[in-house]
Amino acid sequence: MLTIEKRNAVLTTMAILVRKEADAILAANATDMNNYDGEDIAMRDRLKVDDSKIDGMIESLEQLASQDDPVGVERFRFTHDNGMQVYNKTASFGTILIIYESRPDVTIEAGGIAFKSGNKILLKGGKESLNSNLAIVKLWHQALSDNEVSTDWVSYLNYDRVATQAFLEKPTQRVDLIVPRGGERLIAFVKQHATCPVIISGRGNNFVYVHKDADVDTALNLIINGKTAKISACNAVDKVLIDENLPDKENFIAQLLEKLREHTVTILGDTILSKQDGVALIPNEDIWFEEFLDYKIVLGEIKDVEAAIAKINTYSGGHSAVVVTKDLTIAEQFMSVVDCAAVYHNASTRFTDGFQLGLGGELAISTDKLHQRGPIGLQHLVTNKWYIHGDGQIR
């Protein structure tokens, strides 16, 4: 186990190297962008690295280096009747495999979070981001070597689908935890073939409920930000439920439609809202289940907060949901009963992000309930271990 001083030194060195070699990362990414011939605009958006993303990588590494050591933290202590001293402390998992698509910044965040928490990380990125990922892993190895640490702490698995399946089924080295981070096909593939525990980074399909006592300007801003700021993010908004008793509802809907059209968002509606000009009728009820990752949104009218909660709990991906209201009692009801990893009152779903929530980045955003829900950050990449000190006690 490396000391916390050594782990922080590697992270600090890596931040310096990313800043110094930013042009090399951008050049490698330009090659990946030129090679990508797909039509998936969300994939292309996640693939692209620019100056802003470089700054985010550096800030994530610096924030991680400044945080407390998550390993060896005492969670419980007990003195047995026979005099034994019993402690429970956090401990590293061991080796973590993350399988992800298109996002080179994950190579920074996942590597940093795993390493700081004392875990070895195996990175399996998508073929579309290979050049970007290899350029970043090269810097990881330099940062490790510069601090006299084995480069085995961060490894890149340049496997195709067949080799990845073989590794999942019969790993050639110990793997303690797998995190698939991508679309539903990737997640299903990993779940089918993995032979060790898997934490699911699930789909978004996030909802905003505009309560009858909402501030309409707040509602408009939250919907537009959640839908258009980054359509490739799992924390983007896909569905909006509007309370049928919202005062001046027609004016609010007109303003919302106008703003969505300004961002060239395709608008679909239920049987009520599809009567509005430029709003297409949803093809079927199953569309409420879909995560779009596109400039596309579904609007619906809803009776009240109970009906909104029921609809969200039926159709959402369990990721994030928002209630817009000035009524604190309604907000508490909504936030307590909606079954999502993150629930918001008058704030954007775009904050469901490890860095934004103060974790120094994230390995993934889990929609599972075990062992961690929501952003998986530094504090969550640990398990626990029992320490018992005695002087010859027997049972």
Side-chain angles (χ1 to χ4, degrees):
M1 183 66 189
L2 300 174
T3 65
I4 186 60
E5 291 78 16
K6 182 70 77 172
R7 281 177 274 151
N8 285 339
V10 171
L11 293 171
T12 301
T13 301
M14 184 62 177
I16 294 169
L17 288 173
V18 171
R19 189 180 303 279
K20 180 181 177 182
E21 300 296 332
D23 289 343
I25 297 172
L26 292 171
N29 183 251
T31 300
D32 288 331
M33 292 294 291
N34 290 333
N35 290 339
Y36 181 68
D37 57 1
E39 298 181 355
D40 188 333
I41 60 173
M43 177 79 80
R44 181 175 289 277
D45 184 59
R46 290 193 296 266
L47 177 60
K48 183 177 178 58
V49 176
D50 53 19
D51 290 337
S52 176
K53 281 194 178 180
I54 293 288
D55 289 341
M57 293 176 186
I58 295 167
E59 193 171 357
S60 174
L61 290 162
E62 291 175 342
Q63 191 176 112
L64 282 170
S66 70
Q67 292 191 352
D68 293 338
D69 188 357
V71 182
V73 177
E74 185 180 299
R75 300 170 55 180
F76 172 82
R77 68 164 63 191
F78 167 68
T79 301
H80 196 281
D81 291 343
N82 65 16
M84 288 191 310
Q85 299 297 313
V86 181
Y87 303 88
N88 185 265
K89 299 180 183 180
T90 57
S92 304
F93 274 102
T95 299
I96 297 170
L97 166 62
I98 180 168
I99 303 178
Y100 55 107
E101 299 170 331
S102 72
R103 284 189 54 180
D105 47 329
V106 171
T107 310
I108 292 284
E109 286 190 22
I113 292 169
F115 181 74
K116 172 82 179 219
S117 53
N119 296 289
K120 179 180 178 181
I121 184 80
L122 305 178
L123 301 157
K124 168 60 185 81
K127 62 183 180 180
E128 67 283 345
S129 54
L130 179 62
N131 292 286
S132 306
N133 290 335
L134 291 180
I136 294 170
V137 171
K138 181 180 178 180
L139 297 183
W140 270 122
H141 287 175
Q142 184 178 338
L144 291 162
S145 297
D146 286 354
N147 288 279
E148 300 179 334
V149 176
S150 171
T151 57
D152 287 346
W153 281 88
V154 179
S155 299
Y156 194 80
L157 305 183
N158 189 10
Y159 294 165
D160 61 15
R161 184 180 179 86
V162 173
T164 300
Q165 179 177 328
F167 185 85
L168 289 171
E169 294 174 347
K170 293 183 178 180
T172 54
Q173 59 180 294
R174 177 169 177 169
V175 178
D176 299 283
L177 180 68
I178 300 177
V179 180
R181 182 169 174 171
E184 293 186 36
R185 289 178 60 191
L186 169 65
I187 291 169
F189 172 76
V190 172
K191 289 176 68 176
Q192 178 182 354
H193 299 290
T195 53
C196 75
V198 176
I199 293 179
I200 301 303
S201 179
R203 64 191 176 96
N205 191 31
N206 305 309
F207 280 67
V208 174
Y209 166 51
V210 182
H211 180 246
K212 66 183 179 67
D213 292 329
D215 179 276
V216 293
D217 289 335
T218 297
L220 289 169
N221 289 336
L222 297 184
I223 294 166
I224 298 303
N225 177 252
K227 178 68 267 180
T228 67
K230 188 175 180 65
I231 58 100
S232 66
C234 61
N235 57 24
V237 168
D238 283 335
K239 310 297 187 314
V240 177
L241 302 175
I242 301 170
D243 197 299
E244 65 180 26
N245 295 308
L246 178 71
D248 201 11
K249 181 178 59 181
E250 293 302 318
N251 184 49
F252 169 76
I253 292 171
Q255 291 184 68
L256 177 58
L257 296 180
E258 180 181 357
K259 288 181 178 294
L260 288 169
R261 292 189 189 107
E262 288 174 3
H263 290 86
T264 62
V265 176
T266 298
I267 309 167
L268 292 86
D270 62 8
T271 53
I272 296 174
L273 291 181
S274 61
K275 296 175 183 177
Q276 300 284 333
D277 289 341
V279 180
L281 177 65
I282 58 174
N284 52 62
E285 287 297 302
D286 286 346
I287 200 168
W288 290 101
F289 285 112
E290 292 183 28
E291 179 185 29
F292 297 139
L293 299 174
D294 201 349
Y295 288 98
K296 184 177 179 180
I297 198 167
V298 172
L299 311 180
E301 194 168 290
I302 202 79
K303 180 181 178 182
D304 54 23
V305 64
E306 287 83 7
I309 291 170
K311 186 138 193 165
I312 293 168
N313 285 346
T314 299
Y315 292 104
S316 86
H319 191 294
S320 302
V322 179
V323 58
V324 187
T325 184
K326 291 177 280 188
D327 188 325
L328 293 179
T329 301
I330 292 294
E332 286 296 327
Q333 179 184 357
F334 180 95
M335 298 173 81
S336 297
V337 184
V338 164
D339 191 18
C340 288
V343 286
Y344 292 85
H345 173 212
N346 294 344
S348 172
T349 59
R350 293 282 294 120
F351 289 104
T352 308
D353 171 276
F355 185 79
Q356 292 293 326
L357 298 182
L359 302 179
E362 67 197 29
L363 190 75
I365 297 177
S366 171
T367 49
D368 278 351
K369 296 183 181 180
L370 294 174
H371 79 288
Q372 166 61 18
R373 196 179 192 189
I376 303 172
L378 181 64
Q379 301 87 344
H380 312 124
L381 279 189
V382 292
T383 179
N384 66 91
K385 190 174 181 178
W386 291 91
Y387 293 74
I388 301 97
H389 299 273
D391 54 8
Q393 288 90 338
I394 61 173
R395 182 177 177 182

